[in-house]
Amino acid sequence: MSAMLNGCFADTEYLEITARSGHRYGVWVTTPPGYEDSTDPLPLIYVVDGNWAVGLTSPLIVVQADPYLTIAPYIQVSVGYAGEEAADWARLRNRDLVPPGERVGDEMVAVLAAARDSGAMTQENMDAYLAELADSHADVFLDFLTGELHPHLRSRLRVSESGHGLFGYSYGGLFTLYAWLREAAPFAAFGAGSPGVAVEDSQVFTLVENLPAPSEDSAALHVTLNEAELLGAVPLYRAVARNALAVVERLHAKGRSRDVTTEMLHETHLTGLQASFLSYLKTCHSR
């Protein structure tokens, strides 16, 4: 497996780490062109949903050398699940990426029930999926990233003191939004792609209301949505898009317009991950 990974991602190192929570994570560390010949410390950009996202996002490390862009050098850290749990990443992400106390909406239950009825999901898988959503711990996962994984990587890599980033998509976008609202250090820029704010009474709205006044060093937040989510035929995606826009509106009302950028992409929910990550890089990590 290690040889296969190195063949597919020549500048990517894979490691596994067990958190204090007892959960074990797979971590892909992708270095940029010229890293071996340089001594400069670089910021880390963390990407969640690593089992899915690493293949779509880590190849974009080469855009740092694109003469038409101004993306600053960075090291990408993709975080997912290891061993046999890797096959269950779509379920386990609910535990780690959804804020604690988040209600499961009727639209989500309807989507899962339709998948069960069509044979795409068993009743057992549906129950396990909902069980993770009902006992979510984004706070624990965030503490792992900031208090355990980041210090570990700083001991292994040439890591700068500042400029680090966090990117997530869908429920990963919800997690990134949650982390930004909690003003999580050491991140200076957050990318929330199609953030999965699936219910109108999401915990993030409470966090928005409790946001302190902005400061000169407030972290940046970049939010992307896809046209097909907002205008398409899937009720769940329309609800997610509406709620995400409501979050942005409330952030503007709270005086955070200077910190928040947005972009509408010509993608669907499933095709939007790579485009969203590139939008985040161009907006938040330029030289």
Side-chain angles (χ1 to χ4, degrees):
M1 178 60 73
S2 178
M4 289 172 60
L5 286 171
N6 288 333
C8 295
F9 306 111
D11 297 314
T12 295
E13 175 190 5
Y14 177 75
L15 61 121
E16 296 181 2
I17 184 170
T18 301
R20 286 193 290 262
S21 64
H23 303 310
R24 190 159 181 81
Y25 295 98
V27 180
W28 295 260
V29 178
T30 305
T31 52
Y35 177 77
E36 296 298 331
D37 300 323
S38 172
T39 58
D40 296 334
L42 297 178
L44 306 181
I45 296 182
Y46 290 83
V47 177
V48 299
D49 277 330
N51 304 87
W52 172 41
V54 66
L56 290 169
T57 58
S58 63
L60 292 177
I61 201 92
V62 300
V63 300
Q64 300 173 34
D66 190 330
Y68 295 97
L69 300 176
T70 59
I71 295 173
Y74 66 90
I75 298 170
Q76 180 170 328
V77 180
S78 308
V79 185
Y81 303 98
E84 293 181 359
E85 286 193 331
D88 295 323
W89 69 268
R91 170 176 60 83
L92 293 173
R93 68 196 292 264
N94 299 339
R95 176 195 72 200
D96 289 338
L97 303 181
V98 177
E102 191 84 340
R103 181 173 64 85
V104 181
D106 294 338
E107 290 89 352
M108 175 61 73
V109 176
V111 167
L112 295 175
R116 177 202 59 201
D117 295 343
S118 70
M121 174 181 281
T122 67
Q123 182 66 52
E124 181 182 10
N125 288 338
M126 177 180 173
D127 292 342
Y129 194 96
L130 289 172
E132 298 288 4
L133 281 178
D135 189 27
S136 52
H137 294 282
D139 52 340
V140 175
F141 184 60
L142 181 59
D143 289 344
F144 162 68
L145 293 184
T146 60
E148 299 178 61
L149 183 56
H150 189 69
H152 177 72
L153 293 176
R154 290 195 64 184
S155 70
R156 297 173 58 113
L157 303 165
R158 299 195 310 271
V159 178
S160 61
E161 293 294 328
S162 60
H164 307 296
L166 176 65
F167 174 84
Y169 188 83
S170 192
Y171 269 158
L174 174 64
F175 174 76
T176 302
L177 179 59
Y178 168 78
W180 182 81
L181 289 166
R182 284 191 50 187
E183 300 183 314
F187 308 118
F190 297 73
S194 297
V197 188
V199 289
E200 296 178 350
D201 56 351
S202 169
Q203 298 296 316
V204 300
F205 288 109
T206 300
L207 291 171
V208 168
E209 292 307 311
N210 293 329
L211 264 181
S215 63
E216 287 298 320
D217 58 350
S218 294
L221 172 66
H222 185 61
V223 179
T224 64
L225 289 172
N226 300 299
E227 288 180 354
E229 295 164 340
L230 192 62
L231 303 174
V234 181
L236 175 61
Y237 291 152
R238 291 201 305 270
V240 165
R242 288 196 305 270
N243 292 334
L245 288 173
V247 170
V248 171
E249 280 298 312
R250 296 192 191 186
L251 289 174
H252 286 313
K254 293 283 290 186
R256 303 304 289 260
S257 297
R258 182 180 64 85
D259 304 322
V260 180
T261 54
T262 58
E263 184 175 1
M264 185 69 71
L265 306 175
H266 304 290
E267 302 289 344
T268 71
H269 190 75
L270 289 181
T271 66
L273 169 62
Q274 189 177 63
S276 178
F277 184 59
L278 183 57
S279 175
Y280 165 67
L281 291 178
K282 292 191 291 187
T283 303
C284 297
H285 290 277
S286 61
R287 293 191 290 268

